[in-house]
Amino acid sequence: MSFLLPQERTGVVRQSRPVDIHGDRYVDVAIELEGAPGESKSGRVAASECPPDLAPGDRVSVRFVMGVMVKVTRA
C-alpha cells in the first residue's frame, strides 16, 4: 500500500524522544508497523498530536498523510 494515500496504521513504539525547537514541542517517534516485520517508520510529530507519556513498547495507531506521520494515538 502506498504511503502517499492518507491512512492509519497500527504498530509498536520502538523509540520516542521529546524535542523542543524554538519553544515549540515535538516528539521524535520510531514505530515498527504491524504486518511488516522489521519495517519501521520514524517521524517528528507535534507534542499536541501525541500522548505525553509515550514509551517504547506502547501499541499505537499512527495517521499518515502524504507519507508523513501526523498523529499518534494509543491503540
Side-chain angles (χ1 to χ4, degrees):
M1 180 176 285
S2 172
F3 271 98
L4 294 178
L5 299 172
Q7 60 186 290
E8 229 170 275
R9 302 276 303 267
T10 57
V12 176
V13 175
R14 291 296 168 220
Q15 182 179 13
S16 86
R17 181 175 61 106
V19 178
D20 189 328
I21 301 173
H22 303 293
D24 292 327
R25 295 179 188 263
Y26 300 91
V27 180
D28 283 348
V29 183
I31 309 272
E32 185 173 321
L33 299 174
E34 284 185 356
E39 180 184 350
S40 72
K41 293 287 182 184
S42 59
R44 179 168 287 160
V45 182
S48 62
E49 299 296 328
C50 188
D53 55 347
L54 198 60
D58 287 351
R59 188 163 154 33
V60 294
S61 179
V62 184
R63 177 82 176 152
F64 290 94
V65 176
M66 295 295 292
V68 176
M69 191 181 298
V70 295
K71 185 171 188 163
V72 178
T73 57
R74 284 210 165 72

Coordinates of all heavy atoms in Angstrom, one line a residue:
M1 N 0.8 -1.2 0.0 CA 0.0 0.0 0.0 C 0.9 1.2 0.0 O 1.9 1.3 0.7 CB -0.9 0.0 1.2 CG -1.8 1.2 1.3 SD -3.0 1.1 2.7 CE -4.1 -0.1 2.1
S2 N 0.5 2.2 -0.8 CA 1.3 3.4 -0.9 C 1.1 4.3 0.3 O 0.0 4.6 0.7 CB 0.9 4.2 -2.2 OG 1.5 5.4 -2.2
F3 N 2.2 4.8 0.8 CA 2.1 5.8 2.0 C 1.7 7.2 1.5 O 1.6 8.1 2.3 CB 3.5 5.9 2.7 CG 3.6 4.8 3.8 CD1 4.2 3.7 3.6 CD2 2.9 5.1 5.0 CE1 4.3 2.7 4.6 CE2 3.0 4.1 6.0 CZ 3.7 2.9 5.8
L4 N 1.6 7.4 0.2 CA 1.1 8.7 -0.3 C -0.4 8.9 0.0 O -0.9 10.0 0.0 CB 1.4 8.8 -1.8 CG 2.9 8.9 -2.1 CD1 3.1 9.0 -3.6 CD2 3.6 10.0 -1.4
L5 N -1.1 7.8 0.1 CA -2.6 7.9 0.4 C -2.7 8.1 1.9 O -2.0 7.5 2.7 CB -3.3 6.6 0.0 CG -3.2 6.2 -1.5 CD1 -3.7 4.9 -1.8 CD2 -3.9 7.3 -2.3
P6 N -3.7 8.9 2.3 CA -4.0 9.1 3.7 C -4.4 7.8 4.3 O -5.2 7.0 3.8 CB -5.1 10.1 3.8 CG -5.1 10.8 2.5 CD -4.5 9.8 1.5
Q7 N -3.8 7.4 5.5 CA -4.1 6.1 6.1 C -3.7 6.1 7.5 O -2.9 6.9 8.0 CB -3.4 5.0 5.4 CG -1.9 5.1 5.4 CD -1.3 4.0 4.5 OE1 -1.3 2.9 4.9 NE2 -0.7 4.4 3.4
E8 N -4.3 5.1 8.3 CA -3.9 4.9 9.6 C -3.4 3.5 9.7 O -4.0 2.5 9.2 CB -5.2 5.0 10.5 CG -4.9 6.0 11.7 CD -6.1 6.3 12.5 OE1 -6.7 7.3 12.1 OE2 -6.3 5.7 13.5
R9 N -2.3 3.3 10.4 CA -1.6 2.0 10.6 C -1.3 1.8 12.1 O -1.1 2.8 12.8 CB -0.3 2.0 9.9 CG -0.3 2.2 8.4 CD -0.7 1.0 7.5 NE 0.2 -0.1 7.7 CZ 1.3 -0.4 7.0 NH1 1.6 0.4 6.0 NH2 2.0 -1.4 7.2
T10 N -1.3 0.6 12.5 CA -1.0 0.3 13.9 C 0.4 -0.3 14.0 O 0.9 -0.8 13.0 CB -2.0 -0.8 14.5 OG1 -2.0 -1.9 13.7 CG2 -3.4 -0.2 14.6
G11 N 1.0 -0.1 15.2 CA 2.3 -0.6 15.4 C 2.7 -0.5 16.8 O 1.9 -0.2 17.7
V12 N 4.0 -0.7 17.0 CA 4.6 -0.6 18.4 C 5.7 0.4 18.4 O 6.6 0.4 17.5 CB 5.2 -2.0 18.8 CG1 5.9 -2.0 20.1 CG2 4.1 -3.1 18.8
V13 N 5.7 1.2 19.4 CA 6.8 2.3 19.6 C 8.1 1.6 19.9 O 8.2 0.8 20.8 CB 6.4 3.3 20.7 CG1 7.5 4.3 20.9 CG2 5.1 4.0 20.4
R14 N 9.1 1.9 19.1 CA 10.5 1.5 19.4 C 11.3 2.5 20.1 O 12.2 2.2 20.8 CB 11.1 1.1 18.0 CG 10.5 -0.2 17.4 CD 10.7 -1.4 18.4 NE 9.9 -2.5 17.9 CZ 9.3 -3.3 18.8 NH1 9.4 -3.1 20.1 NH2 8.6 -4.3 18.4
Q15 N 11.0 3.8 19.8 CA 11.7 4.9 20.4 C 10.9 6.1 20.4 O 10.2 6.4 19.4 CB 13.0 5.1 19.7 CG 13.9 6.2 20.2 CD 15.2 6.3 19.5 OE1 15.3 5.8 18.3 NE2 16.1 7.0 20.0
S16 N 10.9 6.9 21.4 CA 10.3 8.2 21.4 C 11.2 9.2 22.2 O 11.8 8.8 23.2 CB 8.9 8.2 22.0 OG 8.9 8.3 23.3
R17 N 11.3 10.4 21.7 CA 12.2 11.4 22.3 C 11.6 12.8 22.1 O 11.3 13.2 21.0 CB 13.6 11.4 21.6 CG 14.6 12.3 22.2 CD 15.9 12.1 21.6 NE 15.9 12.4 20.1 CZ 16.4 13.5 19.5 NH1 16.9 14.4 20.2 NH2 16.3 13.6 18.2
P18 N 11.3 13.5 23.3 CA 10.8 14.8 23.2 C 11.8 15.8 22.6 O 13.0 15.7 22.9 CB 10.4 15.2 24.6 CG 11.1 14.2 25.5 CD 11.5 13.0 24.6
V19 N 11.4 16.7 21.8 CA 12.3 17.7 21.2 C 11.6 19.1 21.3 O 10.4 19.3 21.2 CB 12.4 17.4 19.7 CG1 13.3 18.5 19.0 CG2 13.0 16.0 19.4
D20 N 12.4 20.1 21.7 CA 12.0 21.5 21.8 C 12.7 22.3 20.8 O 14.0 22.4 20.8 CB 12.3 22.0 23.2 CG 11.6 23.3 23.5 OD1 11.5 24.1 22.6 OD2 11.3 23.6 24.7
I21 N 12.0 22.9 19.8 CA 12.6 23.7 18.8 C 12.0 25.1 18.9 O 10.9 25.3 18.6 CB 12.4 23.1 17.4 CG1 12.9 21.7 17.3 CG2 13.0 24.0 16.3 CD1 12.6 21.0 16.0
H22 N 12.9 26.0 19.3 CA 12.4 27.5 19.5 C 11.1 27.6 20.3 O 10.3 28.4 19.9 CB 12.3 28.1 18.1 CG 13.6 28.1 17.3 ND1 14.7 28.7 17.7 CD2 13.8 27.4 16.2 CE1 15.7 28.5 16.8 NE2 15.2 27.7 15.8
G23 N 11.0 26.8 21.3 CA 9.8 26.9 22.2 C 8.6 26.0 21.7 O 7.7 25.9 22.5
D24 N 8.7 25.4 20.6 CA 7.7 24.5 20.1 C 8.1 23.1 20.5 O 9.2 22.7 20.2 CB 7.5 24.6 18.6 CG 6.9 26.0 18.2 OD1 6.1 26.6 18.9 OD2 7.2 26.5 17.1
R25 N 7.1 22.3 21.0 CA 7.4 21.0 21.4 C 7.0 20.0 20.4 O 5.9 20.0 19.8 CB 6.7 20.7 22.8 CG 7.3 21.6 23.8 CD 6.6 21.4 25.2 NE 7.0 22.3 26.1 CZ 7.9 22.1 27.0 NH1 8.5 21.0 27.1 NH2 8.3 23.1 27.9
Y26 N 7.8 19.0 20.2 CA 7.6 17.9 19.2 C 8.1 16.6 19.9 O 8.7 16.6 20.9 CB 8.4 18.1 17.9 CG 8.1 19.3 17.2 CD1 8.8 20.5 17.4 CD2 7.1 19.3 16.2 CE1 8.4 21.7 16.8 CE2 6.7 20.5 15.6 CZ 7.4 21.7 15.8 OH 7.1 22.8 15.1
V27 N 7.7 15.5 19.3 CA 8.2 14.2 19.7 C 8.7 13.4 18.5 O 8.0 13.3 17.5 CB 7.1 13.4 20.4 CG1 7.6 12.0 20.8 CG2 6.5 14.1 21.5
D28 N 10.0 13.0 18.5 CA 10.5 12.1 17.5 C 10.2 10.7 17.8 O 10.4 10.2 19.0 CB 12.1 12.3 17.4 CG 12.5 13.5 16.8 OD1 11.7 14.2 16.1 OD2 13.7 13.9 16.9
V29 N 9.5 10.0 16.9 CA 9.0 8.7 17.2 C 9.4 7.7 16.1 O 9.4 8.0 14.9 CB 7.4 8.7 17.2 CG1 6.8 7.4 17.5 CG2 6.9 9.8 18.1
A30 N 9.8 6.5 16.6 CA 10.1 5.4 15.6 C 9.1 4.3 16.0 O 9.0 3.9 17.1 CB 11.5 4.9 15.8
I31 N 8.4 3.8 14.9 CA 7.4 2.8 15.1 C 7.6 1.6 14.2 O 8.0 1.8 13.0 CB 6.0 3.4 14.6 CG1 5.7 4.8 15.2 CG2 4.9 2.4 14.8 CD1 5.0 4.8 16.5
E32 N 7.5 0.4 14.8 CA 7.5 -0.8 14.0 C 6.1 -1.1 13.6 O 5.3 -1.3 14.5 CB 8.2 -1.9 14.7 CG 8.3 -3.2 13.9 CD 9.1 -4.3 14.6 OE1 10.0 -4.0 15.3 OE2 8.7 -5.4 14.4
L33 N 5.8 -1.1 12.3 CA 4.4 -1.3 11.8 C 4.0 -2.7 11.9 O 4.8 -3.6 11.6 CB 4.3 -0.7 10.4 CG 4.6 0.8 10.3 CD1 4.5 1.2 8.8 CD2 3.6 1.6 11.1
E34 N 2.7 -3.0 12.2 CA 2.2 -4.3 12.2 C 2.1 -4.8 10.8 O 1.8 -4.0 9.9 CB 0.8 -4.4 12.9 CG 0.9 -4.3 14.4 CD -0.4 -4.5 15.0 OE1 -1.5 -4.6 14.3 OE2 -0.5 -4.5 16.3
G35 N 2.2 -6.1 10.5 CA 2.1 -6.6 9.2 C 3.3 -6.4 8.3 O 3.3 -6.8 7.2
A36 N 4.3 -5.8 8.9 CA 5.6 -5.6 8.1 C 6.8 -5.8 9.1 O 7.4 -4.8 9.5 CB 5.6 -4.2 7.5
P37 N 7.1 -7.0 9.5 CA 8.1 -7.2 10.4 C 9.5 -6.6 10.0 O 9.8 -6.8 8.8 CB 8.3 -8.8 10.5 CG 7.0 -9.3 9.9 CD 6.5 -8.2 9.0
G38 N 10.1 -5.9 10.9 CA 11.4 -5.3 10.6 C 11.2 -4.0 9.9 O 12.2 -3.2 9.8
E39 N 10.0 -3.6 9.4 CA 9.8 -2.3 8.8 C 9.5 -1.3 9.8 O 8.5 -1.5 10.6 CB 8.7 -2.4 7.7 CG 8.5 -1.1 7.0 CD 7.3 -1.1 6.1 OE1 6.8 -2.2 5.8 OE2 6.9 0.0 5.6
S40 N 10.2 -0.2 9.9 CA 9.9 0.8 10.9 C 9.8 2.1 10.1 O 10.4 2.4 9.1 CB 10.9 0.9 12.0 OG 12.1 1.4 11.6
K41 N 9.0 3.0 10.7 CA 8.8 4.4 10.2 C 9.2 5.3 11.3 O 8.8 5.0 12.5 CB 7.4 4.6 9.7 CG 7.0 3.8 8.5 CD 7.7 4.4 7.3 CE 7.2 3.6 6.0 NZ 7.9 4.0 4.9
S42 N 9.8 6.4 11.0 CA 10.0 7.4 12.0 C 9.6 8.8 11.5 O 9.4 9.0 10.3 CB 11.5 7.4 12.4 OG 12.3 7.7 11.2
G43 N 9.3 9.6 12.5 CA 8.8 11.0 12.2 C 8.8 11.9 13.4 O 9.1 11.4 14.5
R44 N 8.6 13.1 13.1 CA 8.5 14.2 14.1 C 7.1 14.6 14.1 O 6.6 15.1 13.1 CB 9.5 15.3 13.8 CG 9.4 16.4 14.9 CD 10.5 17.4 14.7 NE 11.7 16.7 15.2 CZ 13.0 17.1 14.9 NH1 13.2 18.1 14.1 NH2 14.0 16.4 15.3
V45 N 6.4 14.5 15.3 CA 5.0 14.8 15.5 C 4.9 15.9 16.5 O 5.6 15.9 17.5 CB 4.2 13.6 15.9 CG1 2.8 13.9 16.1 CG2 4.5 12.4 15.0
A46 N 4.0 16.9 16.3 CA 3.7 17.9 17.3 C 3.3 17.2 18.6 O 2.6 16.3 18.6 CB 2.6 18.8 16.8
A47 N 3.8 17.7 19.7 CA 3.5 17.2 21.0 C 2.0 17.1 21.3 O 1.5 16.2 21.9 CB 4.2 17.9 22.1
S48 N 1.3 18.0 20.7 CA -0.2 18.0 20.9 C -0.9 16.9 20.1 O -2.0 16.6 20.4 CB -0.8 19.4 20.4 OG -0.5 19.6 19.1
E49 N -0.2 16.3 19.2 CA -0.8 15.2 18.4 C -0.2 13.8 18.8 O -0.3 12.9 18.1 CB -0.5 15.4 16.9 CG -1.1 16.7 16.4 CD -2.6 16.7 16.4 OE1 -3.2 15.6 16.2 OE2 -3.2 17.7 16.5
C50 N 0.3 13.8 20.1 CA 1.0 12.5 20.5 C 0.7 12.4 22.0 O 0.7 13.4 22.7 CB 2.5 12.7 20.2 SG 3.4 11.2 20.5
P51 N 0.5 11.2 22.6 CA 0.3 11.1 24.0 C 1.6 11.6 24.7 O 2.7 11.3 24.3 CB 0.2 9.5 24.2 CG -0.3 9.0 22.9 CD 0.3 9.9 21.9
P52 N 1.4 12.3 25.9 CA 2.5 12.9 26.6 C 3.5 11.9 27.2 O 4.7 12.2 27.4 CB 1.9 13.8 27.6 CG 0.5 13.2 27.8 CD 0.1 12.6 26.5
D53 N 3.0 10.7 27.5 CA 3.8 9.7 28.2 C 4.1 8.5 27.3 O 4.2 7.3 27.8 CB 3.1 9.2 29.5 CG 1.7 8.7 29.2 OD1 1.2 8.9 28.1 OD2 1.2 8.1 30.2
L54 N 4.3 8.7 26.0 CA 4.6 7.7 25.1 C 5.9 7.0 25.4 O 6.9 7.7 25.7 CB 4.6 8.3 23.6 CG 4.5 7.3 22.5 CD1 3.2 6.6 22.5 CD2 4.6 8.1 21.2
A55 N 5.9 5.7 25.4 CA 7.2 4.9 25.8 C 7.4 3.7 24.8 O 6.4 3.2 24.2 CB 7.0 4.4 27.2
P56 N 8.6 3.3 24.7 CA 8.9 2.1 23.9 C 8.0 0.9 24.4 O 7.8 0.7 25.6 CB 10.4 1.8 24.1 CG 10.9 3.2 24.4 CD 9.8 3.9 25.2
G57 N 7.5 0.2 23.4 CA 6.6 -1.0 23.7 C 5.1 -0.6 23.7 O 4.3 -1.6 23.6
D58 N 4.8 0.6 23.7 CA 3.4 1.0 23.6 C 2.8 0.7 22.2 O 3.4 0.9 21.2 CB 3.2 2.5 23.8 CG 3.4 3.0 25.2 OD1 3.5 2.1 26.1 OD2 3.4 4.2 25.5
R59 N 1.6 0.1 22.2 CA 0.9 -0.2 20.9 C 0.1 1.1 20.5 O -0.6 1.7 21.4 CB -0.1 -1.3 21.2 CG -0.7 -1.9 19.9 CD -1.3 -3.2 20.3 NE -2.4 -3.7 19.5 CZ -2.7 -3.6 18.3 NH1 -2.0 -2.8 17.5 NH2 -3.7 -4.2 17.7
V60 N 0.3 1.5 19.3 CA -0.2 2.8 18.9 C -0.9 2.7 17.5 O -0.6 1.8 16.7 CB 0.9 3.9 18.8 CG1 1.4 4.3 20.2 CG2 2.0 3.5 17.9
S61 N -1.7 3.7 17.2 CA -2.2 3.9 15.9 C -1.6 5.2 15.3 O -1.6 6.2 16.0 CB -3.8 4.0 16.0 OG -4.3 4.2 14.7
V62 N -1.1 5.1 14.1 CA -0.4 6.3 13.5 C -1.1 6.7 12.3 O -1.5 5.9 11.4 CB 1.0 5.9 13.2 CG1 1.8 7.1 12.6 CG2 1.7 5.3 14.3
R63 N -1.4 8.0 12.2 CA -2.0 8.6 11.0 C -0.9 9.2 10.1 O 0.0 9.9 10.5 CB -2.9 9.8 11.4 CG -3.6 10.5 10.3 CD -4.8 9.8 9.8 NE -5.4 10.6 8.8 CZ -6.1 10.1 7.8 NH1 -6.3 8.8 7.7 NH2 -6.7 10.8 6.9
F64 N -0.9 8.8 8.8 CA 0.0 9.2 7.8 C -0.8 10.0 6.7 O -1.9 9.6 6.3 CB 0.7 8.1 7.1 CG 1.7 7.3 7.9 CD1 1.3 6.2 8.6 CD2 3.0 7.7 8.0 CE1 2.2 5.5 9.4 CE2 3.9 7.0 8.8 CZ 3.5 5.9 9.5
V65 N -0.2 11.1 6.3 CA -0.8 11.9 5.2 C 0.4 12.3 4.3 O 1.4 12.8 4.7 CB -1.5 13.2 5.7 CG1 -2.0 14.0 4.5 CG2 -2.7 12.9 6.6
M66 N 0.2 11.9 3.0 CA 1.3 12.1 2.0 C 2.6 11.5 2.5 O 3.7 12.1 2.3 CB 1.4 13.6 1.7 CG 0.2 14.1 1.0 SD -0.1 13.4 -0.6 CE 1.3 14.0 -1.6
G67 N 2.6 10.4 3.2 CA 3.8 9.7 3.7 C 4.4 10.3 4.9 O 5.5 9.9 5.3
V68 N 3.7 11.3 5.5 CA 4.3 12.0 6.7 C 3.4 11.6 7.9 O 2.2 11.7 7.9 CB 4.3 13.5 6.5 CG1 4.7 14.2 7.8 CG2 5.1 13.9 5.3
M69 N 4.1 11.2 9.0 CA 3.4 10.9 10.2 C 2.9 12.2 10.8 O 3.6 13.1 11.1 CB 4.5 10.3 11.2 CG 3.9 9.7 12.4 SD 5.2 9.0 13.5 CE 6.0 7.7 12.4
V70 N 1.5 12.2 11.1 CA 0.9 13.5 11.5 C 0.3 13.4 12.9 O 0.0 14.3 13.6 CB -0.1 14.1 10.5 CG1 0.7 14.5 9.3 CG2 -1.2 13.2 10.2
K71 N 0.0 12.1 13.3 CA -0.7 11.9 14.6 C -0.5 10.5 15.1 O -0.5 9.6 14.4 CB -2.2 12.1 14.5 CG -3.0 12.1 15.8 CD -4.4 12.5 15.6 CE -5.0 12.7 17.0 NZ -6.3 13.4 16.9
V72 N -0.2 10.4 16.5 CA 0.0 9.2 17.1 C -1.0 9.1 18.3 O -1.1 10.0 19.1 CB 1.4 9.0 17.6 CG1 1.6 7.7 18.4 CG2 2.4 9.2 16.5
T73 N -1.8 8.0 18.3 CA -2.7 7.7 19.5 C -2.5 6.3 20.0 O -2.0 5.5 19.2 CB -4.2 7.9 19.1 OG1 -4.4 7.1 18.0 CG2 -4.5 9.4 18.7
R74 N -2.8 6.1 21.2 CA -2.8 4.7 21.7 C -3.8 3.9 21.1 O -5.0 4.3 20.9 CB -2.9 4.7 23.2 CG -1.7 5.2 23.9 CD -1.6 4.6 25.3 NE -0.2 4.8 25.8 CZ 0.3 6.0 26.2 NH1 -0.5 7.0 26.2 NH2 1.5 6.1 26.6
A75 N -3.5 2.7 20.7 CA -4.4 1.7 20.1 C -5.3 1.0 21.1 O -4.9 0.9 22.2 CB -3.6 0.7 19.2

